[in-house]
């Protein structure tokens, strides 16, 4: 089936947050801090207020009213304290965007700067153990005796891997239009990955009942986690609209997005692995060091995938966090799993070479019967099937296992493999299905389509549940006034919304006119299983012995992700994730300015992302996996697992090509040349 919204997107008729036609609209433009830490002495807005078209200047000189418990990145202009360079410290509202931007440049902010600290390091004295890691998981876990397991091992690998700051960079910038009606109800057109959650958060920040806020987000041009919660532009638009009594639009520039819309924390990860003479793990330890801001604690779950991957009698995982003078990190596609599995799967590759084993066979002999951390049975797990099928398609048996020996002129050629995993979650959701007078069906749920094809998938699910042609089903989403639904994130959107849609359609078939559903009790009654999707990524790379350039000539992903609802959408999601993983491996990196704070490489001219020409051959396939324990569709989330193993597969292929192991991403030509291969 073609995408439901395909026509409106390619003809330009799809309306995104900044594009809604609102009468009397004016514009807000932020002023950002020029110091990394300190205090605002004063905000002089006199020159800005005298400029053409300027309606107001918002700042901490006259803090706008917010809830007393509003905190973190959304508590705009409530304090004179500066937490990081680039933080919003004021904003100008004017009749046009050009006038607002010009006036923002005229606002004079005086500071009393203080010494700042923006550097993550594994020996930082401020490191501590957070209570939990995202999303409420145990910070540390331990079973067995790791030290004894390492001492008894025939082969031991002790390695440290590092990943840099990464930025989400969706195509659509973060934008919001806020309108207050005469009764004090707020309507926000926002770039939201979940309108229900965004409504609740905005209401809490603004000190309003949730029923007095409506968030509309019918089309979203990508988010990758950065639009999972409201960002400052939504609060800014609401405050500015209240201040001037007119609808206000706030659109962040690409550079501003780098500062205030979240990012993936850098990590330093230390791993110790021991294996016996047959390659079976005797001990595995994974410790991750990360950063957060002084405004909010965000602890990414970097070491958690290690808890579910391989059988071992001794397993320890831990996370340590330091609060620095930086912006607050947040979700980025597969938070935790992407950097954590990069380190684990790279270390497993090192263990395979050290033990003289094939990297696939090492993983196979360490296949667990139950989840290593919890002991729960898996609802389904076919990692071995993914590895075997990938090996067949990639012609793995023809691979010379010796590193640094295959050459084509100046090019060194290598292949690598890595496993991937992602939790198969679902959350409570509501939905409504009605039979219209014309005989068609209307399905309503406050889901979000962030470019993944949610409308199409939900149409397919509803049509199947009703037993009708998909052309008879019309899905309405992207509005917080619709039945409440969880965020499009954590690869749980389709599973969560789809469960509610199926139940509503089942009730409609019984009732004949309308069906409503709330899956809260159903999900609370789910049997106890370890629920995860699994996959295996294979990469072939060519490394120039002259320039150090790395070219990815082939990528293959094989996945076991439950029932695939729409093959075309699934292939797109898998390939998109793998492409993003290639960017993580080879080019994506945001540098921190040690001297002045803030980030360097703050636009797409300097922060490089993959283009079509960067991979010549990319293929995604999947196994037919039937898992009746998951949800009515038997599906697992697929939006994130594609990125998870890709960086490690490419890094492992670079080692196979060159014979030198690079343990810090991204793998750039300069690092290749410095390895003296």
């Amino acid at each position: 089936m073609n995408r439901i919204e395909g026509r409106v997107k390619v003809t330009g008729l799809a309306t995104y947050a900044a594009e809604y036609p609102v009468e009397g609209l004016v514009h807000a433009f932020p002023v950002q801090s020029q110091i990394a830490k300190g205090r605002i002495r004063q905000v002089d807005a006199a020159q800005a207020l005298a400029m053409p078209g300027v309606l107001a200047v918002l700042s901490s000189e006259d803090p706008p009213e917010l809830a007393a418990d509003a905190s973190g990145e959304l508590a705009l202009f409530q304090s004179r304290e500066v937490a990081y360079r680039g933080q919003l410290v004021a904003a100008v509202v004017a009749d046009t965007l050009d006038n607002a931007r010009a006036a923002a440049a005229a606002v004079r902010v005086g500071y009393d700067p203080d010494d700042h600290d923006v550097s993550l390091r594994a020996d930082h004295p401020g490191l501590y153990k957070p209570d939990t890691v995202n999303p409420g998981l145990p910070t540390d876990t331990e079973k067995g005796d790791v030290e004894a397991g390492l001492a008894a091992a025939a082969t031991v690998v002790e390695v440290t891997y590092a990943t840099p700051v990464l930025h989400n960079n969706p195509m659509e910038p973060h934008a919001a239009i806020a309108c207050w009606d005469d009764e004090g109800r707020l309507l926000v057109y926002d770039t939201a990955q979940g309108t229900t959650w965004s409504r609740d958060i905005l209401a809490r920040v603004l000190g309003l009942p949730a029923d007095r806020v409506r968030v509309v987000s019918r089309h979203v041009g990508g988010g990758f986690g950065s639009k999972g919660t409201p960002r400052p532009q939504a609060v800014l638009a609401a405050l500015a609209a209240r201040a001037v009594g007119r609808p206000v639009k706030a659109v962040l520039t690409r550079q501003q997005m780098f500062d205030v819309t979240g990012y993936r924390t850098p990590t330093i990860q230390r791993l110790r692995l021991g294996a016996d003479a047959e390659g079976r793990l005797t001990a595995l330890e994974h410790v991750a060091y990360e950063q957060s801001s002084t405004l909010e604690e965000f602890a990414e779950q970097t070491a958690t995938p290690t808890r579910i991957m391989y059988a071992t009698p001794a397993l320890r995982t831990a996370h340590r966090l330091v609060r620095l003078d930086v912006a607050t990190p947040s979700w980025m596609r597969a938070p935790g799993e992407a950097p954590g599995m990069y380190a684990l799967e790279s270390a497993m590759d090192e263990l395979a070479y050290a033990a003289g084993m094939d990297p696939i066979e090492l993983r196979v002999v360490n296949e667990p019967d139950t989840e290593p951390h919890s002991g729960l049975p898996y609802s389904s797990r076919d990692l071995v099937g993914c590895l075997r099928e990938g090996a067949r398609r990639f012609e793995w048996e023809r691979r010379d296992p010796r590193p640094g020996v295959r050459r084509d002129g100046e090019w060194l050629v290598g292949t690598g493999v890595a496993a991937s995993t992602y939790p198969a979650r679902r959350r409570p959701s509501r939905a409504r299905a009605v039979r219209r007078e014309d005989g068609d069906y209307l399905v309503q749920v406050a889901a979000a389509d962030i470019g993944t094809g949610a409308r199409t998938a939900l149409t397919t699910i509803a049509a199947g549940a009703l037993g009708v042609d998909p052309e008879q089903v019309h899905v309405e989403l992207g509005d917080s006034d619709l039945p409440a639904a969880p965020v499009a994130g954590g690869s749980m959107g389709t599973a969560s919304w789809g469960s509610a849609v199926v139940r509503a359609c089942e009730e409609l078939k019984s009732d004949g006119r309308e069906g409503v559903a709330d899956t809260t009790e159903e999900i609370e009654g789910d049997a106890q299983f370890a629920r995860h999707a699994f996959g295996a990524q294979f990469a072939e790379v060519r490394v120039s012995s002259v320039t150090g350039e790395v070219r990815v000539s082939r990528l293959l992903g094989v996945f076991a992700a439950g029932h695939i609802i729409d093959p075309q959408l699934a292939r797109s999601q898998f390939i998109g994730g793998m492409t993003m993983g290639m960017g993580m491996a080879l080019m994506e990196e945001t540098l921190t300015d040690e001297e002045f704070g803030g980030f360097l490489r703050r636009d797409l001219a300097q922060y490089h992302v993959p283009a079509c020409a960067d991979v010549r051959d990319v293929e995604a396939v999947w196994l037919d996996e039937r898992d009746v324990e998951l949800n009515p569709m038997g599906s697992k989330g697929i939006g994130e697992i594609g990125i998870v193993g890709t960086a490690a597969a490419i890094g492992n292929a670079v080692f196979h090509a060159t014979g030198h192991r690079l343990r810090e991403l991204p793998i750039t030509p300069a690092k290749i040349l410095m390895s003296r291969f």
Side-chain angles (χ1 to χ4, degrees):
M1 173 185 173
N2 288 327
R3 286 176 72 126
I4 299 298
E5 80 284 11
R7 181 177 179 83
V8 297
K9 281 188 173 178
V10 300
T11 57
L13 297 176
T15 306
Y16 292 84
E19 300 173 335
Y20 284 86
V22 176
E23 187 175 350
L25 188 71
V26 295
H27 300 262
F29 196 87
V31 178
Q32 297 179 266
S33 169
Q34 297 301 302
I35 65 170
K37 182 181 180 181
R39 184 172 176 82
I40 298 170
R41 188 169 56 252
Q42 67 176 48
V43 178
D44 184 354
Q47 183 178 344
L49 289 167
M51 295 177 71
V54 174
L55 303 174
V57 174
L58 282 64
S59 75
S60 56
E61 292 291 334
D62 183 15
E65 183 179 350
L66 288 179
D69 60 351
S71 61
E73 300 280 1
L74 301 183
L76 297 185
F77 319 132
Q78 301 300 293
S79 169
R80 290 182 176 272
E81 300 299 320
V82 174
Y84 62 90
R85 185 180 179 90
Q87 183 179 358
L88 305 192
V89 295
V92 171
V93 187
D95 57 348
T96 69
L97 175 59
D98 286 344
N99 283 342
R101 187 167 191 161
V107 174
R108 299 289 176 259
V109 182
Y111 301 99
D112 292 320
D114 200 354
D115 294 337
H116 61 263
D117 181 1
V118 295
S119 300
L120 172 67
R121 61 183 195 272
D123 61 351
H124 196 290
L127 285 165
Y128 69 98
K129 175 185 173 182
D131 292 336
T132 61
V133 294
N134 179 65
L137 299 173
T139 302
D140 295 358
T141 62
E142 188 164 2
K143 75 167 188 177
D145 189 332
V146 169
E147 300 303 330
L150 292 172
T155 306
V156 174
V157 167
E158 299 188 23
V159 286
T160 299
Y161 290 89
T163 61
V165 171
L166 300 175
H167 273 87
N168 306 52
N169 275 305
M171 185 179 295
E172 178 200 19
H174 288 65
I177 297 174
C179 317
W180 295 86
D181 65 18
D182 293 338
E183 298 178 353
R185 191 165 190 258
L186 174 65
L187 167 62
V188 181
Y189 299 104
D190 193 19
T191 50
Q193 290 181 223
T195 55
T196 301
W197 198 358
S198 290
R199 175 203 64 194
D200 293 346
I201 293 175
L202 286 174
R204 189 161 59 248
V205 169
L206 294 166
L208 297 171
D211 62 3
R212 299 186 71 81
V213 178
R214 179 187 179 194
V215 175
V216 174
S217 187
R218 302 201 186 280
H219 295 280
V220 181
F224 312 112
S226 68
K227 298 173 182 175
T229 59
R231 298 300 178 182
Q233 88 284 346
V235 177
L236 173 58
L239 294 177
R242 188 170 63 187
V244 301
R246 294 173 64 175
V248 171
K249 178 192 294 189
V251 181
L252 298 181
T253 66
R254 181 65 58 177
Q255 291 82 3
Q256 291 165 348
M257 287 167 59
F258 274 78
D259 293 326
V260 299
T261 64
Y263 59 92
R264 194 192 300 281
T265 176
T267 70
I268 301 169
Q269 301 178 58
R270 292 179 173 169
L271 292 99
R272 297 193 295 165
L273 300 85
D276 64 18
E278 285 74 41
R280 292 182 176 85
L281 288 168
T282 60
L284 173 54
E285 181 184 55
H286 188 173
V287 181
Y289 303 89
E290 309 164 353
Q291 71 183 37
S292 192
S293 72
T294 58
L295 287 175
E296 297 181 71
E297 179 185 273
F298 180 83
E300 188 158 314
Q301 69 276 26
T302 304
T304 59
T306 299
R307 301 170 184 174
I308 62 96
M309 281 305 296
Y310 300 115
T312 177
L315 173 64
R316 177 176 181 259
T317 65
H319 301 79
R320 295 297 179 265
L321 191 67
V322 62
R323 308 285 287 271
L324 301 175
D325 303 313
V326 296
T328 307
S330 185
W331 304 324
M332 183 172 176
R333 197 173 197 167
E337 279 76 12
M341 284 292 283
Y342 158 69
L344 174 63
E345 289 301 293
S346 300
M348 286 291 286
D349 198 66
E350 296 207 42
L351 181 63
Y353 279 100
M357 290 187 66
D358 179 86
I360 291 178
E361 296 309 314
L362 176 70
R363 290 168 172 83
V364 171
V365 301
N366 286 289
E367 178 72 3
D369 296 324
T370 59
E371 188 180 63
H373 160 59
S374 68
L376 291 173
Y378 292 98
S379 63
S380 58
R381 172 180 169 127
D382 200 1
L383 173 59
V384 173
C386 294
L387 290 165
R388 296 295 190 210
E389 178 63 15
R392 184 187 70 81
R393 290 173 174 267
F394 217 69
E395 298 181 318
W396 189 260
E397 75 281 356
R398 298 178 57 186
R399 174 185 191 257
D400 187 331
R402 296 173 299 163
V405 299
R406 187 177 169 194
R407 199 174 188 111
D408 180 12
E410 74 175 73
W411 298 93
L412 301 169
V413 183
T415 53
V417 64
S420 55
T421 187
Y422 200 79
R425 303 186 183 100
R426 64 172 176 159
R427 293 288 183 267
S429 181
R430 298 177 182 176
R432 178 174 179 260
V434 298
R435 184 180 176 91
R436 305 193 315 192
E437 292 183 0
D438 62 4
D440 282 0
Y441 299 86
L442 174 65
V443 175
Q444 297 176 312
V445 57
D449 195 329
I450 60 175
T452 55
R455 287 179 178 84
T456 307
L458 292 175
T459 298
T460 300
I461 291 169
L466 292 167
V468 301
D469 191 286
E471 292 185 359
Q472 291 183 261
V473 177
H474 308 275
V475 172
E476 186 179 0
L477 49 71
D479 188 333
S480 65
D481 278 0
L482 297 173
V487 67
S491 291
M492 64 182 180
T494 301
S496 303
W497 314 322
S499 297
V501 166
V502 167
R503 301 307 182 212
C505 289
E506 290 173 345
E507 184 175 314
L508 170 60
K509 289 176 69 175
S510 299
D511 180 85
R513 299 182 60 186
E514 181 182 35
V516 294
D518 182 340
T519 61
T520 301
E521 290 187 9
E522 175 181 330
I523 292 174
E524 289 176 350
D526 279 350
Q528 289 297 303
F529 285 95
R531 306 165 191 267
H532 306 274
F534 292 92
Q537 277 95 333
F538 294 77
E540 180 184 79
V541 303
R542 297 166 63 85
V543 182
S544 171
S545 59
V546 177
T547 66
E549 175 188 357
V550 180
R551 294 182 181 177
V552 179
S553 48
R554 186 181 178 193
L555 274 179
L556 168 67
V558 184
F559 303 97
H563 171 63
I564 299 299
I565 293 170
D566 186 301
Q568 186 167 289
L569 294 178
R571 182 178 182 275
S572 176
Q573 283 297 291
F574 288 138
I575 287 177
M578 291 163 64
T579 304
M580 201 167 177
M582 182 176 64
M584 176 182 174
L586 299 179
M587 58 193 73
E588 295 190 44
E589 179 181 27
T590 308
L591 301 179
T592 300
D593 190 328
E594 303 284 346
E595 184 174 1
F596 297 105
F599 295 127
L600 303 170
R601 296 183 182 173
R602 297 171 62 247
D603 57 40
L604 293 178
Q606 300 175 80
Y607 186 97
H608 295 166
V609 297
C612 293
D614 286 315
V615 58
R616 304 297 176 86
D617 182 359
V618 56
E619 182 182 7
V621 297
W622 47 88
L623 307 181
D624 183 19
E625 187 177 55
R626 302 184 183 276
D627 189 335
V628 298
E629 299 295 342
L630 296 169
N631 50 62
M633 301 81 63
S635 64
K636 297 178 180 179
I638 59 174
E640 291 166 284
I641 192 171
I643 191 178
V644 171
T646 305
I650 292 173
N652 294 340
V654 169
F655 168 75
H656 184 234
T658 65
H660 290 266
R661 184 75 62 173
L662 299 176
R663 300 187 180 94
E664 181 180 348
L665 293 184
I667 301 170
T668 61
K671 293 174 185 175
I672 292 283
L673 294 177
M674 289 177 65
S675 69
R676 297 191 181 96
F677 65 89

